[in-house]
Amino acid sequence: MNINNFRDMGSGGTGGIINRIQTLFIGLLRIWTIPIVLLLSLASGFTTYYGMSHFITPWIALIITVAVQSIIVICSLEIAGIHWKANRIRYISVLASLLVAIIASVSFSYFQFYEISEKENLHINRLNQVREEVNNYLNKILAVKTGILEQQRAQLEVASKEVSQAYFGTHPQIAVEYRNQVGEGPFWKRYNDLYQAKTQQLARLEQGFQQLDDDMRKLQAGLRQVSLGQDESSAYQTVLSSLNDVQIRFNQLATGLGHAVPEVPVVMSYAQFVQGVQPSFLMWKDFSPFAFICASMIEFFTVLLSYRLEMTAPGPLTEQEQELIFECLRQFTEFRINENDELEMVIEKSELERARRYSDWSRMFAVGLLLSRGFLRKVDARTVEFAPNLYPLIAQRMGDKIRAIKAESPVKLEALQQAGHE
């Protein structure tokens, strides 16, 4: 393969095609980054506004949200072109503004993601709270109920014993002349009436407690339906009504026997049970790592893509500006590749130029123009580096110069040959 074939491969062959495809792909990615950054800012702005609107007036929250998102994008773009050594005060101020805006955005966005991530947990916690309050109340009722039944059965056993003693004449309160006389006399009849009354009272009490047990089973069934999400509204109303029935029935049974009743819990209403999350700073106490990561992730991608975009130039250079800049930059002599893999040049006068009192006004004007347009980035007081969007302009101008030199070379060669013949 000769040199011409290599030349074809470089200009229009496979290598040239691959290079053009790669260049086009990278260009499309840079263009596609712009709507992605805007969409991320819009998404972050929505969550920030949602959280902020719960604390301040909505229209003020909207203005602050727009300002915060704008600061994040602008500072991310600006900090990509600032070097710490070049201007420390500017670097710190931009970085501080970016951090404040990120903290504000993440803090208020956290409320939105907290609501989404903790909605199910909040529902479960409320259900557990209702179930715990109801179960604690029912356990207290069961304890009092057991004590009442034990007391009534003990009294019934005592009454039964007294009836038996009255029948056989061995009761302690029976008169001496009637002791050990077996039979159903007036004394026995009196104690037998007490025994029958106590028996009927225990029967009525057990029947009442049986109805109370039915109400308690209905209450527990309602709680199970609520936990399963089966017709939640109707099931929760069943829980509230059953709890009220249990309270009324038990209070009637217990107070009628002179027993103290446990305090009934104040269960939340159905509106409170299904109420959504109300953003507040108390959410930070119940910290949700998932919500915080989601809120931070949007800001991270916004800053990263804005930083990588590195398109700070407000507009392209005109043909005259490109020609002026190319000619002025050629006057600089000290170039190197820095740690950022960018072409860096020294903009100060050399010792020889100072000795000759060289005027560098034109080339410094070019540097100032490129710095203001974002085509150069200041590294420190005496050096600047090329921004990625400057390389194609310089490459184009260098290509034009090379083609012009190649076009002039045959003409000069022919003129030299003619002069030799003469």
Side-chain angles (χ1 to χ4, degrees):
M1 185 178 293
N2 55 27
I3 297 177
N4 292 330
N5 291 336
F6 281 111
R7 188 175 300 166
D8 293 339
M9 289 289 289
S11 59
T14 305
I17 294 174
I18 293 175
N19 183 60
R20 285 194 293 272
I21 292 175
Q22 183 180 9
T23 304
L24 177 62
F25 179 72
I26 294 175
L28 290 176
L29 285 181
R30 290 176 65 86
I31 295 174
W32 179 237
T33 303
I34 298 175
I36 291 178
V37 170
L38 294 178
L39 290 175
L40 285 173
S41 298
L42 184 63
S44 178
F46 174 78
T47 55
T48 302
Y49 169 77
Y50 179 85
M52 194 178 297
S53 61
H54 286 82
F55 299 93
I56 59 177
T57 307
W59 69 270
I60 298 179
L62 178 61
I63 295 175
I64 296 177
T65 299
V66 173
V68 167
Q69 296 306 315
S70 300
I71 290 173
I72 290 176
V73 175
I74 293 172
C75 290
S76 300
L77 289 171
E78 189 173 356
I79 205 169
I82 305 176
H83 285 268
W84 167 256
K85 295 180 180 179
N87 192 332
R88 288 179 171 83
I89 296 178
R90 182 186 175 194
Y91 188 91
I92 293 174
S93 63
V94 173
L95 182 60
S97 301
L98 179 61
L99 292 177
V100 170
I102 290 176
I103 292 173
S105 181
V106 171
S107 299
F108 289 104
S109 296
Y110 172 80
F111 298 135
Q112 171 76 60
F113 290 103
Y114 183 92
E115 179 181 0
I116 296 173
S117 62
E118 298 298 319
K119 182 178 181 180
E120 189 66 25
N121 292 336
L122 181 63
H123 180 77
I124 294 174
N125 292 336
R126 287 175 178 173
L127 177 60
N128 291 336
Q129 179 183 350
V130 172
R131 185 187 290 114
E132 182 179 0
E133 292 176 351
V134 170
N135 288 336
N136 289 338
Y137 178 64
L138 294 183
N139 290 334
K140 292 178 181 178
I141 286 179
L142 291 175
V144 177
K145 170 190 169 183
T146 301
I148 292 175
L149 288 175
E150 289 178 353
Q151 181 185 16
Q152 293 299 315
R153 286 167 182 163
Q155 292 177 358
L156 180 63
E157 185 178 352
V158 171
S160 175
K161 183 179 180 181
E162 288 180 341
V163 169
S164 178
Q165 289 176 343
Y167 181 80
F168 290 104
T170 58
H171 194 280
Q173 295 183 3
I174 197 170
V176 177
E177 60 272 16
Y178 295 108
R179 284 186 179 274
N180 298 322
Q181 292 184 8
V182 179
E184 298 179 355
F187 193 82
W188 171 85
K189 184 177 181 182
R190 173 172 171 270
Y191 280 95
N192 185 59
D193 291 341
L194 294 175
Y195 173 75
Q196 295 298 329
K198 185 63 70 175
T199 302
Q200 293 176 3
Q201 182 183 7
L202 180 60
R204 289 193 301 269
L205 185 62
E206 289 179 343
Q207 183 179 3
F209 280 143
Q210 185 176 1
Q211 294 175 352
L212 178 65
D213 291 339
D214 293 338
D215 293 336
M216 293 172 65
R217 281 192 291 269
K218 185 178 179 181
L219 176 58
Q220 294 288 358
L223 287 174
R224 284 193 297 271
Q225 289 182 354
V226 172
S227 61
L228 294 175
Q230 299 175 353
D231 194 8
E232 189 177 81
S233 176
S234 177
Y236 197 83
Q237 296 301 329
T238 301
V239 170
L240 296 179
S241 61
S242 299
L243 179 62
N244 186 57
D245 294 340
V246 168
Q247 176 196 3
I248 293 175
R249 192 177 301 278
F250 180 75
N251 288 354
Q252 290 176 346
L253 293 173
T255 54
L257 297 173
H259 285 267
V261 295
E263 184 178 358
V264 64
V266 181
V267 181
M268 66 184 72
S269 65
Y270 181 71
Q272 294 173 324
F273 182 74
V274 297
Q275 185 179 16
V277 181
Q278 293 297 322
S280 66
F281 287 102
L282 295 177
M283 291 180 178
W284 289 106
K285 294 183 178 179
D286 187 17
F287 181 73
S288 172
F290 176 78
F292 182 77
I293 290 173
C294 289
S296 303
M297 184 171 58
I298 297 180
E299 306 304 335
F300 172 76
F301 287 131
T302 303
V303 173
L304 177 63
L305 292 177
S306 300
Y307 183 89
R308 293 297 302 167
L309 190 60
E310 297 180 348
M311 296 182 65
T312 55
L317 298 173
T318 63
E319 289 292 328
Q320 293 81 2
E321 289 173 337
Q322 293 181 27
E323 184 68 26
L324 171 65
I325 287 169
F326 179 73
E327 294 299 330
C328 291
L329 291 181
R330 289 176 59 189
Q331 300 177 21
F332 291 101
T333 58
E334 296 185 39
F335 294 89
R336 73 181 185 93
I337 302 297
N338 62 17
E339 62 275 4
N340 293 331
D341 295 331
E342 302 289 358
L343 184 61
E344 183 178 288
M345 66 181 184
V346 178
I347 59 177
E348 287 186 345
K349 293 181 182 180
S350 64
E351 294 298 331
L352 182 59
E353 290 173 341
R354 288 194 182 93
R356 293 180 176 179
R357 297 182 181 276
Y358 173 76
S359 175
D360 62 345
W361 184 88
S362 59
R363 69 184 190 184
M364 293 304 292
F365 173 81
V367 171
L369 175 63
L370 292 177
L371 285 172
S372 64
R373 295 290 187 90
F375 290 96
L376 286 179
R377 295 183 297 208
K378 198 171 184 182
V379 177
D380 54 35
R382 62 189 303 269
T383 56
V384 295
E385 69 176 10
F386 281 33
N389 48 0
L390 181 59
Y391 293 103
L393 300 180
I394 301 299
Q396 180 182 357
R397 288 296 169 182
M398 291 178 66
D400 294 340
K401 291 293 182 181
I402 293 173
R403 284 192 295 271
I405 293 172
K406 288 182 178 180
E408 293 176 358
S409 296
V411 177
K412 291 182 179 180
L413 181 59
E414 183 178 357
L416 290 174
Q417 289 176 353
Q418 289 179 358
H421 289 304
E422 294 176 356

